[in-house]
Amino acid sequence: LSLSRSLSLSRSHSLPSTVCPQLTHQHTISQGEWKDGGTIQHGKGTFSWANGNVYQGEWVDGKKAGNGILTTSQEDKYEGQWLNDARHGKGSQKVGGADGAGELYVGEWKENLQHGFGELNQKSGNKYVAVVVSLSFFRLLLSVCPQLN
């Protein structure tokens, strides 16, 4: 028995500032699968924020989970695995992608941080294979080896 149902809809919510001042922006949820009478996004769907950020992918109980793509209004892009609303598992992230000369990390993630084996391609053109350990807002490259062409 599946509690999910597919809906093709668009919702726009505006939260009054008295409810939660930091969430006064508008956002739109378009095309998605829902459960609990259409109140919780569950399955595949798209979420668009008023600032231009868009997430397309899988949801579990209203949180990003499984595979998905997050594209920001600055054209930064993460494509990969999610768990509990955080990048977690294998994925790639390009930062500074508007001019095509951004930094690209392809590798492992843990709780929204680069963590584990990965490849780093810098804006300068340098390419590295690295073991990354991330703790909170601190990133340590344990082993960095330049890639030879």
Side-chain angles (χ1 to χ4, degrees), residues 13-16 20-28 47-51:
H13 302 282
S14 181
L15 300 174
C20 190
Q22 64 271 33
L23 295 177
T24 57
H25 63 281
Q26 285 200 343
H27 59 271
T28 300
F47 190 99
S48 302
W49 288 266
N51 67 3

Side-chain angles (χ1 to χ4, degrees), residues 4-27:
S4 298
R5 62 184 173 134
S6 293
L7 299 175
S8 182
L9 51 83
S10 179
R11 292 185 179 180
S12 184
H13 302 282
S14 181
L15 300 174
S17 58
T18 55
V19 174
C20 190
Q22 64 271 33
L23 295 177
T24 57
H25 63 281
Q26 285 200 343
H27 59 271

Side-chain angles (χ1 to χ4, degrees), residues 51-95:
N51 67 3
N53 294 352
V54 177
Y55 172 79
Q56 295 176 298
E58 298 172 306
W59 298 83
V60 173
D61 294 326
K63 295 182 179 181
K64 294 181 284 294
N67 293 307
I69 301 169
L70 176 66
T71 307
T72 70
S73 57
Q74 294 84 25
E75 297 186 36
D76 297 341
K77 184 177 184 178
Y78 172 80
E79 184 171 354
Q81 298 173 323
W82 295 81
L83 181 65
N84 292 323
D85 266 346
R87 295 167 289 189
H88 194 91
K90 294 183 180 183
S92 65
Q93 179 168 318
K94 180 154 187 159
V95 178

